[in-house]
Amino acid sequence: MTDDRNEPIRLDRLSDRFFKYLFATEEHKDLLIAFLNEVLLDLDPDGSARRIEDVAYGDRESSPLYRGAKLPRFDVVATAEDGRVFHVEVQVARDRYFLERSLYYAAMTYFLQLGKGGEYGDLAPVIFVGLLDFEVFPSAANDGACHSLHRILDVRNRRWEMKGMEFHFLELPKLRRHNAGPRSGLDRLLSYLGNVG
């Protein structure tokens, strides 16, 4: 495809419209499932046990809890067949409060699961996936890896008992710098989305 000057048109795969077309539409649900399974499998030895088979899309806009509350708007919200809720957010412009916003969005979804009289045992985990075209963590903090996984762990024994929320951050600039050697399925998918290579 070319423009009027006969130059190739470069598709911005991280644009809001394209990303939602690719991952937030029923006709492409298989792409979202494949992406989420690659994210789950990439850093977690139990990732294959946590694979998902199907998702149902959720409302991407939450109602504010009280007048004047900040209204979260999500790129993709999907619930897996086992109840886990997935948020996928794309952020191209640097946002110095992205981590705080990620926590706010995940906590809001966790909170909104229970109605009056609901049981705490009915709460499903919320898994936040942030696809970023900027670095949010220093490269030395995670050996320059583009995917980092954050959970609530015990500081002494590093056990993961509070499984209500987890956060995956995918930093494309780190992938661009280390685009050599064996590549996982997630690396290949991120390379496509980030126009790497």
Side-chain angles (χ1 to χ4, degrees):
M1 183 182 255
T2 58
D3 64 10
D4 293 340
R5 296 169 303 202
N6 207 23
E7 292 185 19
I9 296 174
R10 187 174 166 103
L11 176 65
D12 181 4
R13 297 180 185 127
L14 295 178
S15 71
D16 203 42
R17 178 178 275 178
F18 182 76
F19 190 84
K20 287 177 183 172
Y21 167 76
L22 204 58
F23 290 108
T25 58
E26 193 69 34
E27 65 188 299
H28 297 136
K29 183 164 70 168
D30 57 327
L31 295 175
L32 176 65
I33 293 169
F35 175 67
L36 294 175
N37 281 327
E38 289 293 339
V39 169
L40 291 174
L41 186 61
D42 189 51
L43 291 180
D44 187 357
D46 296 327
S48 58
R50 298 184 336 130
R51 283 184 67 82
I52 58 175
E53 299 297 326
D54 196 15
V55 294
Y57 287 102
D59 186 6
R60 295 195 316 247
E61 291 194 25
S62 293
S63 299
L65 303 174
Y66 56 90
R67 203 161 97 191
K70 187 146 181 84
L71 178 69
R73 287 186 175 85
F74 309 112
D75 289 336
V76 179
V77 177
T79 303
E81 72 279 354
D82 62 1
R84 285 176 291 169
V85 180
F86 290 86
H87 283 197
V88 182
E89 285 293 310
V90 174
Q91 184 70 35
V92 175
R94 182 177 298 280
D95 179 353
R96 68 183 196 164
Y97 297 114
F98 187 77
L99 296 178
E100 290 81 1
R101 182 161 56 101
S102 304
L103 186 58
Y104 179 77
Y105 282 8
M108 177 80 70
T109 298
Y110 195 71
F111 169 78
L112 290 174
Q113 290 182 57
L114 283 186
K116 189 173 183 178
E119 296 292 329
Y120 294 111
D122 295 336
L123 289 167
V126 175
I127 300 173
F128 185 94
V129 179
L131 178 57
L132 313 175
D133 205 14
F134 61 94
E135 291 185 36
V136 71
F137 302 109
S139 287
N142 58 356
D143 297 326
C146 73
H147 180 191
S148 59
L149 169 59
H150 301 261
R151 294 173 169 161
I152 301 172
L153 304 175
D154 183 290
V155 295
R156 287 194 178 92
N157 62 24
R158 305 206 26 91
R159 291 185 57 161
W160 181 37
E161 302 294 342
M162 297 178 69
K163 298 185 178 184
M165 286 188 269
E166 69 181 66
F167 301 84
H168 295 261
F169 296 100
L170 308 164
E171 300 168 277
L172 290 172
K174 291 178 181 175
L175 179 65
R176 290 183 185 111
R177 274 199 309 276
H178 299 97
N179 192 23
R183 295 167 46 120
S184 67
L186 181 61
D187 287 344
R188 288 191 301 275
L189 220 160
L190 294 177
S191 294
Y192 170 76
L193 292 171
N195 289 317
V196 178

